[in-house]
Amino acid sequence: MKLSKTLIIMLFIFVANPIMAQSTFDKWPEIKTFHEVMSQTFHPSEEGNLQPIKSRYEELASKAEMVFKSEIPAEFKTKSIVIATEKLQLKTKALQKKIITKATDAEIMTLLSEVHDVFHEIVGLCANGER
């Protein structure tokens, strides 16, 4: 009987370990999709190239809305994360408005950095399992 319990526990660990190793992006496709656009627009801006965000702001706003409206995976669905997803959507809409109204590059960069920070806040909350 003892051998059976040990075998069952080992089997559980063997099967469960890959599931537990999945990243936030694997478990939450909408945040992964947002990250793809975020990285393709934010990283060029760090080098002074705002053209990617100026041409893809609508896409970024759409992806942020998808994150906000998505079904947050149960292990991530906390009050802090729900609030942060709303903040992500609002900051991205503000960025969109700034770009449409021909804001200065400095204003765009400030808001883009804020969007980037909120994204990292969400991912950090998911990784830390904060409640």
Side-chain angles (χ1 to χ4, degrees):
M1 183 79 168
K2 194 170 196 160
L3 181 61
S4 298
K5 285 182 181 180
T6 304
L7 184 59
I8 290 171
I9 291 170
M10 288 177 64
L11 252 137
F12 176 78
I13 291 170
F14 180 77
V15 171
N17 194 32
I19 295 168
M20 293 159 70
Q22 285 182 324
S23 74
T24 300
F25 296 147
D26 293 331
K27 295 177 182 178
W28 194 358
E30 293 83 2
I31 201 75
K32 178 181 181 179
T33 303
F34 179 84
H35 175 253
E36 290 168 1
V37 179
M38 179 86 256
S39 66
Q40 293 167 1
T41 56
F42 179 74
H43 294 300
S45 76
E46 293 178 300
E47 298 171 9
N49 181 5
L50 293 178
Q51 195 51 47
I53 190 58
K54 288 180 179 180
S55 64
R56 297 181 73 186
Y57 64 87
E58 289 176 333
E59 183 181 6
L60 189 68
S62 171
K63 302 301 181 197
E65 186 174 350
M66 288 173 57
V67 168
F68 177 64
K69 291 182 176 181
S70 71
E71 183 62 38
I72 300 170
E75 67 258 42
F76 305 143
K77 194 168 186 173
T78 64
K79 184 177 181 180
S80 297
I81 290 175
V82 170
I83 290 168
T85 61
E86 183 176 18
K87 187 163 66 170
L88 181 73
Q89 181 190 29
L90 293 172
K91 291 276 184 192
T92 308
K93 282 184 178 185
L95 173 63
Q96 181 179 23
K97 186 180 276 188
K98 283 285 186 189
I99 293 171
I100 289 170
T101 60
K102 307 290 186 208
T104 66
D105 286 355
E107 291 173 311
I108 292 169
M109 190 62 211
T110 297
L111 273 171
L112 182 58
S113 293
E114 290 175 10
V115 169
H116 184 256
D117 290 347
V118 174
F119 164 74
H120 277 284
E121 176 186 347
I122 293 168
V123 173
L125 288 169
C126 290
N128 294 333
E130 292 192 21
R131 294 273 162 202

